[in-house]
Every structure is written in structure tokens, then in C-alpha cells.
Amino acid sequence: MLTLRKSATLAFLAIVAIVLGGCDEDAAPDAKPLADKAVMTMDLVNIQYSFKNGRHTYGHIRRFAESAGLGVTLIKGRVCVHNGEECAESLVTYRIEAGAVLDQPNHYVATKLAADVITIEYSGKDDNGNPVVMRRTVRVDNKTATVE
């Protein structure tokens, strides 16, 4: 009986070795290779108008999305108002994982002009070291904001 169990165990291990030996993860036909460069989008959603401290203010969520399967780290942001004449820059550390979406609530842009062109830009690098730059333009006219 001991010999039968030993033979069965050896046979089972041989089958497992054959099955596992035939697995080549690198050669999987349906495996998607990592992208060479990240593909990023930035959207401004849920824009809310208010007038505060003499400025037209547009609160919103900034939504970053990566769709090529390569993570991105954004390191610098820049917002310009008054048709590009007044800009503010900031160092940031925003991480967008491969294939993921990052929502950042509670952002706003404020301008003294009732009608203005606002630009929002972010830059950084993907996980392969490629530069990433995203830019959105928002045309505002009092309570109306149109993202281009």
C-alpha cells in the first residue's frame, strides 16, 4: 500500500511538473506588452460658478486618466488667467497609476474678467521617463464655462 501511494504521488508530481514546465508567462498569446509611453487625459468636471471677493470663481474636479498601461507622476502645475497674462505655478506630486483615474476635488480658478480664457497645464514623467504634458483651455463668460 505504501508503494501504491508513493507511485501515485510521484505520478501526480510528474504531471504537475509537465503542466508547469509548459507554462511560459512571457509567451502568453493574450498578454499585452507594457506601453512605451503613457497616454494621459485631464478633464475638468462639475464646474460650479460663484462670485467671491470681486472675482469670477470656477470650482471643479480635476480628473486625470492614464489609458496605455503606464504610470505617471505629475510634478508641476500652471494656471493662467486674464487671457494668459497672469500665471501661477506650483510644484505637485500627483501619481496616476497605470490604467487608473485620479480625481482631485476642490480645485478652483478665479479671474477678475467676466469673459476670459483660462489655461491649466500639468507636466511630469511616465514610468519610462518620457515627458508628459497636459493642457486644457477654459473659455468663461460670467456663469458659463466651456472646456476645450
Side-chain angles (χ1 to χ4, degrees), residues 47 58 138-147:
I47 298 174
Y58 303 90
V138 184
R139 294 191 184 277
V140 297
D141 190 357
N142 285 306
K143 296 180 180 182
T144 303
T146 304
V147 180

Side-chain angles (χ1 to χ4, degrees), residues 4-19:
L4 183 57
R5 282 188 189 167
K6 188 175 182 181
S7 295
T9 302
L10 288 175
F12 174 76
L13 290 175
I15 291 170
V16 169
I18 291 169
V19 170

Side-chain angles (χ1 to χ4, degrees), residues 35-43 62-75 94-104 122-127 130-136:
D36 290 332
K37 189 172 182 178
V39 175
M40 290 292 303
T41 58
M42 173 180 58
D43 290 313
R62 292 185 189 163
R63 178 171 289 154
F64 302 94
E66 195 289 321
S67 61
L70 194 61
V72 170
T73 301
L74 300 177
I75 57 172
Y94 299 161
R95 177 69 185 168
I96 301 91
E97 296 298 335
V101 174
L102 172 66
D103 276 353
Q104 292 211 313
Y122 283 92
S123 60
K125 292 190 181 235
D126 69 20
D127 288 348
N130 298 306
V132 173
V133 176
M134 293 174 292
R135 183 180 179 153
R136 295 306 298 250

Side-chain angles (χ1 to χ4, degrees), residues 32-94:
K32 182 179 177 185
L34 251 185
D36 290 332
K37 189 172 182 178
V39 175
M40 290 292 303
T41 58
M42 173 180 58
D43 290 313
L44 309 178
V45 297
N46 197 27
I47 298 174
Q48 303 287 320
Y49 173 82
S50 61
F51 191 79
K52 295 179 185 175
N53 301 321
R55 291 184 176 256
H56 301 271
T57 303
Y58 303 90
H60 57 276
I61 296 169
R62 292 185 189 163
R63 178 171 289 154
F64 302 94
E66 195 289 321
S67 61
L70 194 61
V72 170
T73 301
L74 300 177
I75 57 172
K76 185 176 169 184
R78 178 180 167 113
V79 175
C80 296
V81 296
H82 299 162
N83 300 303
E85 294 177 13
E86 184 181 317
C87 298
E89 292 185 358
S90 179
L91 296 178
V92 299
T93 305
Y94 299 161

